Amino acid sequence: MTTKLSLKRLTLLALPLAAVAGVSTAASADEWTPTRSIEFIAPANPGGGWDTLVRTTSRVIQQEGLADQNFAAINVPGGGGAVAWAQIARDSGNPHKLFATSPPIILVPLAGTSRHDHNDFTPIARLITDYSIVLVRDDSDYGDLNELFAAIEENPGLSIGGGSAPGSMDHISIAGLASAAGLNAAEVNYIPFSGGGEAMTSLMGGHVEAVITGAGEASGQLGAGSELRALGVSAPERMGGVLADIPTYQEQDIDYTFDIWRGVMGAPDMPAEAVAYYEDLFARMQETEGWQDARDQLGWLDAYQSSEAFGEFLDAQKELFSEVLSELGLLGD
């Protein structure tokens, strides 16, 4: 099946690239510092991957004393990120506005549901790699992924929720997984929610059969006494912490992995000296004990890229995802 082969390629451009993490921005960063609080936007409701990244980085920066100004976490949900992007796009040149980003900045515009894409904003830095995780209610009859997909094959109406728009990250992730498991990826009954937190709430309420979301954002909902149970994680090998007992897809004879890169972008046409300041800030943040503790607890992997390298990476991701959405029939006009 051609869809399966191409979807498996999604991991090739999203691997952590420690070799490109080198940054020489300290001298330039000294030329500019924020003069007021920084608006740090999560383009979704609380509880999702963008929200987790924004609040975690803001907390670490404050606790480690890395910036004189506060990073104010702001949630702007809607349209799989499109509502926030439209607001940010109108604030060209503002050096005090940042937002969390991940594959939807590529996927949502390609699907035709946002007129703004990554080229309309300023890349700051890629920070981490996360993974997808499939969750069911703790009282679910499904013991593993193969049992879930067998039920879906028998009853295609069974729904799987996710925290991103149709054709966006969670949808692509579950479509690729279903394809690798032998199903028709285009027929997966995917239900979009405005963030992973809302998707998990819907799962607990019995409104969907399963949820696919980021492993990092789900980690706080798992463990002793949890109402949720994980069937599998998209990492190439088992993760740590509360996720250590969750089998990978490959352990369940489904040859598929999926990486979720996450990073930071700024308003359009952000001054170069402000970009240099933030590049340096996030590079220093990743060296702190506070960041490393939070990263490990959330199951993230450091995958830093500077502004220039991140921009080139985004261009390559657009080319790759264009092929995948076209094969799924989800590429917008």
Side-chain angles (χ1 to χ4, degrees):
M1 182 184 299
T2 56
T3 300
K4 175 179 177 180
L5 293 174
S6 295
L7 286 167
K8 286 175 65 178
R9 291 178 55 227
L10 291 176
T11 60
L12 297 181
L13 293 178
L15 297 175
L17 301 176
V20 300
V23 186
S24 56
T25 61
S28 298
D30 291 339
E31 298 175 5
W32 181 88
T33 56
T35 57
R36 63 177 188 269
S37 179
I38 293 94
E39 296 177 68
F40 199 1
I41 296 169
N45 283 319
W50 287 330
D51 181 71
T52 303
L53 186 73
V54 164
R55 295 183 187 279
T56 301
T57 53
S58 298
R59 173 175 53 80
V60 171
I61 288 170
Q62 180 178 6
Q63 290 179 348
E64 297 288 342
L66 298 178
D68 293 333
Q69 298 292 338
N70 179 51
F71 281 64
I74 301 170
N75 294 93
V76 182
V83 172
W85 302 331
Q87 292 182 11
I88 298 164
R90 293 194 294 266
D91 209 2
S92 181
N94 185 350
H96 296 89
K97 181 166 288 188
L98 304 175
F99 65 96
T101 191
S102 60
I105 192 66
I106 308 291
L107 292 163
V108 172
L110 284 175
T113 53
S114 171
R115 64 187 184 90
H116 298 288
D117 68 8
H118 72 283
N119 292 303
D120 295 314
F121 306 103
T122 304
I124 301 297
R126 191 177 82 170
L127 297 181
I128 58 100
T129 293
D130 194 5
Y131 295 99
S132 293
I133 193 169
V134 178
L135 305 171
V136 294
R137 293 181 300 279
D138 188 50
D139 60 358
S140 171
D141 292 334
Y142 308 123
D144 59 27
L145 288 171
N146 290 300
E147 291 182 6
L148 173 64
F149 285 124
I152 291 173
E153 187 170 24
E154 184 176 339
N155 181 6
L158 295 178
S159 57
I160 297 181
S164 59
S168 192
M169 183 174 64
D170 290 337
H171 189 188
I172 294 297
S173 182
I174 193 64
L177 177 60
S179 175
L183 278 67
N184 184 340
E187 295 180 358
V188 172
N189 185 18
Y190 175 78
I191 307 297
F193 294 94
S194 185
E198 184 179 338
M200 286 186 276
T201 299
S202 181
L203 174 62
M204 287 186 286
H207 304 297
V208 292
E209 202 75 12
V211 154
I212 186 158
T213 188
E217 63 199 86
S219 61
Q221 304 291 328
L222 298 171
S226 173
E227 296 181 58
L228 302 178
R229 176 164 48 86
L231 297 185
V233 64
S234 69
E237 57 187 32
R238 290 205 183 193
M239 303 174 70
V242 298
L243 307 176
D245 293 332
I246 301 170
T248 67
Y249 299 165
Q250 293 177 326
E251 287 181 77
Q252 301 176 66
D253 297 322
I254 303 175
D255 187 14
Y256 180 71
T257 60
F258 187 85
D259 300 346
I260 304 171
W261 51 264
R262 300 191 192 278
V264 180
M265 300 189 80
D269 300 319
M270 182 178 285
E273 58 270 26
V275 174
Y277 170 86
Y278 291 120
E279 279 183 313
D280 179 70
L281 174 67
F282 287 114
R284 289 187 290 116
M285 180 197 72
Q286 292 203 327
E287 298 300 318
T288 66
E289 183 177 348
W291 169 260
Q292 292 162 13
D293 288 344
R295 173 204 64 197
D296 293 345
Q297 182 178 3
L298 290 165
W300 291 343
L301 297 176
D302 285 336
Y304 185 91
Q305 285 181 318
S306 65
S307 174
E308 182 178 1
F310 189 30
E312 293 172 354
F313 172 83
L314 292 170
D315 290 340
Q317 288 279 283
K318 181 175 182 178
E319 182 177 349
L320 175 65
F321 285 136
S322 293
E323 296 179 24
V324 173
L325 288 177
S326 178
E327 291 177 3
L328 288 174
L330 296 171
L331 193 63
D333 296 330

